[in-house]
Amino acid sequence: MAEAAVRAGVPREHLLLEPRALTTWMNLRLSRRIMREHGLRTALVITTADHLPRAKRFVEWYGIPARYVACDLETAETARADEVVVEESR
């Protein structure tokens, strides 16, 4: 997902990646920690359309204000962000 964001024009230095998670649940827990460390309050969640409902449930459970993009349906122009924080590792 990070490479797709860079190809779509997001500067690499604006990406905060969470590389350790093995599950969606773990990814969001660790990403929330990264967000707090950087003083960020909102996230752009990028995943596939079929995975969005599951990811959204977890994002809401953790109380992370977020926007969502289905990487297999939308283009970078439909959802812009200064920081891309929550990256689904599949």
Side-chain angles (χ1 to χ4, degrees):
M1 296 296 172
E3 291 307 313
V6 170
R7 284 193 305 274
V10 176
R12 190 173 297 279
E13 62 270 13
H14 287 201
L15 300 176
L16 299 173
L17 306 179
E18 186 292 295
R20 300 181 311 166
L22 301 175
T23 65
T24 302
W25 187 265
M26 184 186 293
N27 177 257
L28 290 164
R29 182 170 48 89
L30 295 171
S31 293
R32 184 175 64 170
R33 185 177 303 157
I34 291 169
M35 291 174 68
R36 286 180 179 159
E37 290 170 359
H38 289 273
L40 301 171
R41 293 183 303 242
T42 62
L44 175 61
V45 179
I46 304 171
T47 189
T48 58
D50 64 331
H51 189 253
L52 273 176
R54 175 181 168 81
K56 187 175 181 188
R57 280 194 310 273
F58 292 145
V59 168
E60 290 173 351
W61 190 90
Y62 276 114
I64 301 170
R67 291 184 59 197
Y68 303 86
V69 176
C71 62
D72 52 347
L73 299 180
E74 300 186 46
T75 65
E77 285 74 37
T78 62
R80 303 188 65 83
D82 292 332
E83 301 284 343
V84 177
V85 177
V86 181
E87 179 184 353
E88 175 57 25
S89 56
R90 292 179 112 201

